[in-house]
Amino acid sequence: MAENLLAQLLEALAKGSIRVVDLTQPLNAATPVIQLPAEFGQSRPFRLEEISRYDERGPAWYWNNFSCGEHTGTHFDAPVHWVTGKDYPGNAADSIPPKRFLAPACVIDVSAKAGEDPDFLLTRAHVETWELQYGRIEAGSWVLMRTGWSRKSAPDFLNIQNDGAHVPGPHPELIPFLAKERDVIGFGSEAVGTDAGQAFRFDPPFPCHHGMHGSNKFGLASLTNLEELPPKGAMVIAAPLKIVNGSGSPCRVLALVENG
Ligand code: MN
């Protein structure tokens, strides 16, 4: 076995005893984007515009311009995204210390319940029950809510009804518990955002954004393939683009998983 830690890691990756799981959704013009009430500013969908493709515009090269909102597809929410997190130093996409982009993950599987109830909310009681089985959530961990939501097709994924969106998310009481009593690094969801579809009605509204960013913590949205992760033991690599003063960005979210 190789002597130093990084060589051991690379050897394990080469042999397949550590797997790389892609937690990222494909990014294209059809990628669902969160929709806010008409009085608010809106995020544009992802757009790809070809510059050249081995043609008269560029005979030997293919490339594109792309544009999108920072919060499009599988993406990272930085603390500066929310008013409650606006004053922390190192709170934007470019200023977050890069070692915070690697962290362990706790994956809480509520896919059965969320499959029955699109308004399912993950509560403190659910998390405490999970901890009885898998152990306490360690400080600095991601808490990733596995709902199976990433398997839904476009209209069902956003699930917008007359009274707003209906998608699962965290209960308001859960967020202070995770942020303060467990000191997690952030909360991740398979849905379009970290908060539930009806979270605009909660107190406070959008409690995950309010409380996580208000504690200088992060969010990950539109995750997929969470069923390939163990409840505990995976390492997540989630690094936003280094947009100066960026509130987040689409990112390739990867997990390292040790084969058991
Ligand atoms: Mn976001």
Side-chain angles (χ1 to χ4, degrees):
M1 188 188 277
E3 290 197 351
N4 69 62
L5 279 175
L6 278 177
Q8 286 174 30
L9 172 63
L10 291 166
E11 198 173 294
L13 286 164
K15 283 187 191 156
S17 54
I18 291 179
R19 285 181 300 125
V20 180
V21 178
D22 193 349
L23 305 184
T24 319
Q25 292 274 23
L27 191 55
N28 61 30
T31 296
V33 174
I34 201 160
Q35 304 195 356
L36 300 185
E39 64 266 32
F40 298 122
Q42 303 293 328
S43 180
R44 287 194 209 123
F46 182 83
R47 181 166 173 233
L48 200 64
E49 181 189 42
E50 197 173 271
I51 304 172
S52 72
R53 191 160 191 157
Y54 332 120
D55 52 24
E56 69 284 354
R57 298 169 301 171
W61 51 93
Y62 165 59
W63 56 342
N64 303 295
N65 288 314
F66 73 86
S67 61
C68 62
E70 290 172 328
H71 298 255
T72 305
T74 302
H75 72 271
F76 186 100
D77 289 357
V80 73
H81 179 41
W82 219 250
V83 64
T84 49
K86 71 183 175 59
D87 293 326
Y88 287 107
N91 64 353
D94 63 313
S95 59
I96 293 167
K99 74 174 182 185
R100 300 189 76 196
F101 299 143
L102 291 82
C106 295
V107 181
I108 301 182
D109 178 13
V110 289
S111 53
K113 293 185 179 102
E116 290 167 7
D117 177 12
D119 291 314
F120 173 80
L121 298 177
L122 184 69
T123 63
R124 176 176 177 153
H126 291 127
V127 172
E128 286 176 334
T129 302
W130 181 94
E131 284 187 321
L132 287 177
Q133 194 169 358
Y134 300 109
R136 187 182 166 102
I137 295 168
E138 281 111 11
S141 300
W142 281 104
V143 171
L144 306 180
M145 182 180 175
R146 178 182 156 195
T147 54
W149 211 255
S150 60
R151 303 293 166 212
K152 299 209 178 253
S153 57
D156 292 341
F157 181 79
L158 293 176
N159 199 24
I160 295 167
Q161 312 291 335
N162 290 335
D163 59 349
H166 292 269
V167 303
H171 192 284
E173 69 170 17
L174 175 64
I175 299 303
F177 172 70
L178 292 181
K180 300 205 185 319
E181 294 184 47
R182 292 294 179 269
D183 193 22
V184 302
I185 199 165
F187 185 85
S189 170
E190 290 183 53
V192 71
T194 55
D195 267 302
Q198 291 287 300
F200 64 95
R201 301 180 196 277
F202 294 175
D203 180 22
F206 305 104
C208 190
H209 288 81
H210 177 96
M212 280 291 161
H213 303 326
S215 302
N216 199 23
K217 297 177 185 306
F218 309 146
L220 285 173
S222 294
L223 296 170
T224 189
N225 296 328
L226 292 182
E227 68 281 359
E228 293 189 40
L229 305 190
K232 231 181 198 184
M235 182 176 83
V236 167
I237 306 167
L241 295 176
K242 204 165 181 173
I243 300 170
V244 175
N245 288 323
S247 73
S249 95
C251 60
R252 193 73 180 252
V253 181
L254 304 176
L256 300 185
V257 178
E258 205 160 348
N259 285 337

